[in-house]
Amino acid sequence: MLKTGQAALAATALSVALGSAASAGTIEGSATYRERIAVPPDATLYVQLQDVSRADASSVTLAAQRYALNGVPARYTLAYDDALIRDGMSYTVSASIYHDDKLLFTTDTAYPVLTNGSGKMSDLVLVQVQGTTVLENTKWTAAVLNGAPIETDRRPELAFALDGAFSGSGGCNRFNGQADISGASITFPDNMAATLMACPPALEEVERQFFAALQGVTTYAMEGDALAFLDASGEPVIKFIRTQ
């Protein structure tokens, strides 16, 4: 039998445990973005609950969680302490997508939760951060051109650096330039710098079609290790596989 002091201590511990369990709340929802591009491998989704009640002070983060992200829409469940929430105050949930330390997408709209008529569910729509693109520091090899598989020994290659800078090979000649990338839109310049080596007929024809197809590209779509360049009608003109 427990002594009186031990019993009181046990009761107190039980009360604290039950009180802690009762104070736990959760916010649930989804996070997505509208661009038709896939996040790179190892991307993460960061969701946070913030107190934004004071207009003259910075918001206060009350809860945050990071999730591995394989695609969107992605579900999230964010736990918080009910004791931190007060009627009449204002709370929002926000999210960002990172690749390593680089911010790719973020919410630009306030998503209120918990008080002032808001509930515990919130579906978030993120926007792509200006000046960033998931194509940065990637390398691709063309597999399909104008609907037909490329069967030459050397296939066109394309690599992206920062801010739309690109370089590659048409299968014979090297080229480079600066693409205009915004969201899922992409256009290539007419005046790409390129070498002028003589090529075997088969490679020359593929290269000619590849360069011509690039001029008609208006958007791109990514899914996993696959990349497609599409023309103004939405038809894929070049399909690539990731090599880096």
Side-chain angles (χ1 to χ4, degrees):
M1 179 178 297
L2 289 174
K3 295 181 180 179
T4 302
Q6 292 174 319
L9 182 61
T12 300
L14 179 61
S15 176
V16 170
L18 290 175
S20 297
S23 70
T26 58
I27 297 170
E28 299 181 358
S30 65
T32 190
Y33 51 80
R34 295 190 176 92
E35 287 82 0
R36 295 176 53 198
I37 51 180
V39 294
D42 303 325
T44 58
L45 172 67
Y46 182 69
V47 183
Q48 55 185 337
L49 170 66
Q50 294 180 308
D51 182 342
V52 295
S53 304
R54 296 182 58 184
D56 59 344
S58 300
S59 58
V60 178
T61 299
L62 305 182
Q65 180 68 45
R66 191 177 296 273
Y67 306 84
L69 185 64
N70 297 318
V72 295
R75 302 296 303 178
Y76 71 87
T77 300
L78 186 62
Y80 64 92
D81 188 343
D82 273 335
L84 298 174
I85 308 303
R86 300 178 182 178
D87 290 339
M89 306 295 275
S90 299
Y91 305 94
T92 63
V93 63
S94 60
S96 299
I97 295 175
Y98 291 88
H99 182 229
D100 295 327
D101 294 329
K102 184 172 185 179
L103 177 64
L104 301 180
F105 295 86
T106 190
T107 47
D108 66 348
T109 300
Y111 290 87
V113 290
L114 301 178
T115 57
N116 303 317
S118 301
K120 296 184 177 182
M121 296 285 296
S122 187
D123 293 326
L124 314 176
V125 178
L126 288 70
V127 297
Q128 190 172 28
V129 176
Q130 281 294 101
T132 68
T133 166
V134 294
L135 291 176
E136 287 183 358
N137 300 314
T138 61
K139 185 176 181 180
W140 307 85
T141 298
V144 178
L145 179 59
N146 295 324
I150 301 174
E151 298 178 344
T152 51
D153 293 336
R154 298 198 303 271
R155 293 182 291 173
E157 296 178 341
L158 183 61
F160 290 93
L162 301 179
D163 300 324
F166 65 86
S167 60
S169 166
C172 181
N173 284 285
R174 303 291 304 175
F175 62 89
N176 63 77
Q178 189 84 23
D180 184 5
I181 305 174
S182 177
S185 300
I186 182 170
T187 56
F188 290 87
D190 296 331
N191 57 343
M192 290 187 296
T195 59
L196 298 173
M197 295 188 298
C199 309
L203 291 180
E204 184 175 311
E205 177 59 20
V206 168
E207 187 169 85
R208 184 192 66 78
Q209 292 187 34
F210 178 74
F211 285 144
L214 284 180
Q215 298 305 310
V217 170
T218 60
T219 58
Y220 71 96
M222 284 178 59
E223 184 172 353
D225 291 333
L227 167 68
F229 284 168
L230 296 83
D231 62 17
S233 65
E235 290 297 319
V237 291
I238 311 174
K239 294 182 180 180
F240 299 85
I241 56 174
R242 185 194 292 267
T243 53
Q244 177 180 311

